Structure formats: C-alpha cells, structure tokens
C-alpha cells in the first residue's frame, strides 16, 4: 500500500487537511482554517495547499482518512463527501474515524485521563473520556454521548482534530474500510411540516 495519507476533518469549526506519511506517522504538511461557516469553501483549498506544501499531487495518495463526527450536519457532509469523492476518483480506500478519537488519541500520551469535549450547539456538548498515560488506540476507554450545561468544562484553549490524530485513529489500514457513517448523535434542527388538515 502507498503510505501517503490524506487526512481531513470538518466536524468542528476547524477545517483540517493534512498529508501524513504512514511510516512513523510523519506529518508532511497540514493546513487548518478556523471558520465554522466555511467548511465547503475552505476544505479543497486546504487540501491542495497541503499537497503543494508537501511537494506531492493527488496521484501520490494511497488512502484518505476522514473524521465522521460527532458534529453538525453540514460540516460533516462536506468532509465526508469530499473524502468519498477523492477515494472514488483515485481508486483508494477511505477510512472514517470518530473525530473525538482523533483528539483523544493525540492527547492521551500526555495525561492519565483525557476528556474531549466539542460543541454540539443548543447548550450541549459531545464528549468522550480516554484513559491511560501513553495509551494507544487499542487500550483507550471511550464513553461517547451528550451532556447539557457543561460549558464550565471548556476551561482550556480549543484543540481540534489533527492530521496525525486522524491517522492514528485508524485501527488497521490493511483492513477493508467500513462504509462512511456520519455521527450526528441527535435529530436534525429541521423538521418536516405536517400536512394541513382540510375539512
């Protein structure tokens, strides 16, 4: 397998695109734009800029990794549709990962326990707890879910999924990737109208 990986995530306000060499998880280039309202406008330019920074082209890619959330409907669809399009056009596998895992795996080596919290809007958060200093993806303890009123837990500066974290979250690059399924974890804001009752 070609070991050059495109890693993208649009599950948070960060629009992340990075090029990672699988051997040793070496980040060759990474572009991140913080703009919760410009996922569609920023993702492709970030991918192309990261490829240019690494001195590579899309033809050099061996796989794509994409964060599948949890996150908002539009943001997730932008990243996942883009990843699927690259995979289809290039004939390469696309691996979906939990975006919280990408943050937790990257952070778990520096603490005995890490709580990853992202904004779910409506005064709610998505969260997952990761245990174990130096833990790898096989020994992480994860408790996904939603919890209201936890704004006080957001005392530290924001951390977003990184290209390195996304690649580390893939359990096995040699395995056939599972279908991409977005992690919305709640019903959409838009609701279908009920038909008017006529008498």
């Amino acid at each position: 397998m070609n070991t050059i990986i495109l890693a993208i995530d649009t599950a948070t306000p960060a629009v992340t695109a990075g090029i990672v060499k699988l051997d040793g998880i070496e980040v060759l280039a990474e572009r991140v734009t913080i703009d919760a309202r410009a996922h569609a406008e920023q993702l492709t330019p970030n991918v192309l800029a990261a490829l240019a920074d690494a001195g590579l082209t899309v033809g050099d890619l061996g796989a794509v990794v994409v964060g599948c959330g949890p996150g908002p409907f539009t943001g997730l669809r932008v990243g996942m549709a883009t990843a699927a399009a690259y995979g289809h056009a290039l004939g390469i596998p696309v691996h979906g990962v939990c975006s919280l895992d990408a943050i937790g795996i990257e952070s778990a080596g520096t603490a005995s326990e890490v709580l990853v919290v992202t904004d779910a809007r409506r005064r709610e958060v998505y969260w997952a707890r990761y245990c174990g200093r130096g833990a790898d993806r096989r020994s992480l303890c994860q408790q996904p879910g939603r919890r209201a009123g936890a704004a006080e837990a957001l005392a530290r500066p924001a951390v977003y999924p990184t290209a390195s974290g996304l690649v580390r979250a893939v359990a096995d690059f040699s395995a056939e990737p599972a279908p991409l399924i977005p992690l919305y974890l709640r019903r959409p804001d838009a609701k279908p109208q009920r038909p008017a009752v006529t008498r």
Side-chain angles (χ1 to χ4, degrees):
M1 172 186 141
N2 180 344
T3 62
I4 304 297
I5 311 298
L6 169 62
I8 60 178
D9 189 275
T10 55
T12 70
V15 182
T16 301
I19 308 300
V20 180
K21 188 174 182 182
L22 192 55
D23 303 329
I25 313 293
E26 178 187 355
V27 177
L28 303 177
E30 185 171 30
R31 290 291 182 109
V32 180
T33 304
I34 310 298
D35 190 341
R37 297 184 181 273
H39 291 103
E41 296 83 0
Q42 295 295 324
L43 183 56
T44 297
N46 283 2
V47 168
L48 296 176
L51 282 164
D53 291 348
L56 300 170
T57 69
V58 291
D60 296 311
L61 299 174
V64 180
V65 175
V66 61
C68 294
F73 180 87
T74 303
L76 287 183
R77 286 293 177 188
V78 168
M80 294 175 70
T82 301
Y86 277 115
H88 179 73
L90 300 171
I92 59 177
V94 179
H95 299 268
V97 299
C98 174
S99 300
L100 299 177
D101 288 354
I103 299 170
I105 287 169
E106 196 81 336
S107 304
T110 61
S112 59
E113 186 172 274
V114 174
L115 178 66
V116 176
V117 181
T118 60
D119 186 5
R121 301 180 182 160
R122 294 190 221 158
R123 300 178 56 131
E124 295 179 334
V125 297
Y126 299 119
W127 63 276
R129 189 182 80 198
Y130 300 85
C131 309
R133 185 177 303 271
D136 65 15
R137 62 182 160 263
R138 290 173 296 281
S139 61
L140 292 172
C141 305
Q142 183 180 359
Q143 298 176 339
R146 294 185 357 224
R147 188 165 69 188
E152 24 334 304
L154 303 175
R156 295 188 177 203
V159 176
Y160 300 108
T162 63
S164 171
L166 291 161
V167 171
R168 290 178 196 277
V170 176
D172 183 1
F173 275 97
S174 65
E176 182 73 21
L180 294 179
I181 299 174
L183 301 172
Y184 296 128
L185 301 187
R186 74 171 182 208
R187 295 181 185 182
D189 293 328
K191 295 182 174 83
Q193 291 184 344
R194 292 183 179 164
V197 176
T198 57
R199 294 183 183 185

